[in-house]
Every structure is written in C-alpha cells, then in structure tokens.
C-alpha cells in the first residue's frame, strides 16, 4: 500500500540520518546532490583524493531526498555541510538551484557549487535570479578545479 511505501521511504531516510549523526564532526563535511551515479562517484573520488585531512561525504540522488535531509539536519540542530555540490538537473520536483536556495537559507555558512552540463550562458539568468548565487562548474570539470576550490 501507499502508506507502507511512504513509511519505508521515511524509515530509510531516518536510518541514513541516524548513521550520519554518528560521524565525527572534526572533518570537512561535503554534501553531493547528484542523480547520475557515475558523476557522483567521480566527485566523491576526486574529493577523497584531494582532501587534506579527514573528509565526510554524503551523497543524495534526488531533490526530494535532499530537501528532506536538509530539513532534518536543521530540525535536529545538526551541523550543515561545509560544502554542497549540487547538480542543476535533478530527478524529482525541485531543480538544483531550488535546492541551493533551500540549503543556503538553512545553513548560510555552507559554500554551494552548482554543476551542469549546460554552459554558463544558458543558465546565467536563472543564476542571477537565485538568492544563493552559487559558484558554477560546467560538466565535465577536472578534479583539479574542485581541489583548488575546496582545499587550497
């Protein structure tokens, strides 16, 4: 039934959240919101390879899961991510720019990077209208660019 599938999704989110709660907080916390598994793995690997010191990475694959996770972090007074890397085109109801704004309103100290296969000219109007004004990386981008921004 629909109720049991909703409960299962909620329980899965809470289980992930509780696991995160046990992570050490004396490290760089990076949130990756990307629905393409290959790209998410690339970013994850690039961060781990570039990291200076311990790094904690959380990967989320849809706008719904991301907004729920961000909401729960704030609700339970958990620290927000140091950096969020968000894809512009996400599966789900909200696009990446909406997620950037949603995150930044709750955790203003989080550095936000928006990624897209579109070039900057194609989304510059939307970026300009955004409250967040995230840093923009066009895909594909080199791991070195991410390293220079995060760990220099």
């Amino acid at each position: 039934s629909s109720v049991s599938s909703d409960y299962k999704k909620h329980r899965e989110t809470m289980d992930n959240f509780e696991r995160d709660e046990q992570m050490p907080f004396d490290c760089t916390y990076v949130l990756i919101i990307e629905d393409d598994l290959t790209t998410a793995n690339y970013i994850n690997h690039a961060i781990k390879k570039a990291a200076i010191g311990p790094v904690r990475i959380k990967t989320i694959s849809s706008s719904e899961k991301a907004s729920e996770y961000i909401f729960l972090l704030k609700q339970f007074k958990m620290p927000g991510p140091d950096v969020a890397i968000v894809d512009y085109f996400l599966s789900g109801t909200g696009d990446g720019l909406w997620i950037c704004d949603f995150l930044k309103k709750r955790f203003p100290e989080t550095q936000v990077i928006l990624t897209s296969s579109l070039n900057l000219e194609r989304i510059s109007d939307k970026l300009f209208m955004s409250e967040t004004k995230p840093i923009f990386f066009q895909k594909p981008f080199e791991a070195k660019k991410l390293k220079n921004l995060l760990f220099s």
Side-chain angles (χ1 to χ4, degrees), residues 54-118:
V55 65
R56 170 179 159 218
I57 301 171
K58 170 78 176 169
T59 304
I60 299 177
S61 61
S62 74
S63 58
E64 285 92 354
K65 287 180 184 174
S67 58
E68 185 174 3
Y69 181 75
I70 293 161
F71 175 79
L72 288 172
L73 281 178
K74 192 64 178 177
Q75 185 174 359
F76 291 108
K77 297 177 175 41
M78 303 293 291
D82 297 302
V83 179
I85 301 168
V86 183
D87 183 30
Y88 180 70
F89 292 110
L90 288 169
S91 58
T93 53
D95 67 20
L97 208 45
W98 182 87
I99 290 292
C100 290
D101 289 344
F102 185 79
L103 173 65
K104 204 68 167 156
K105 281 179 188 163
R106 283 147 187 83
F107 299 100
E109 67 285 353
T110 299
Q111 182 177 17
V112 179
I113 301 167
L114 184 71
T115 66
S116 177
S117 55
L118 296 176

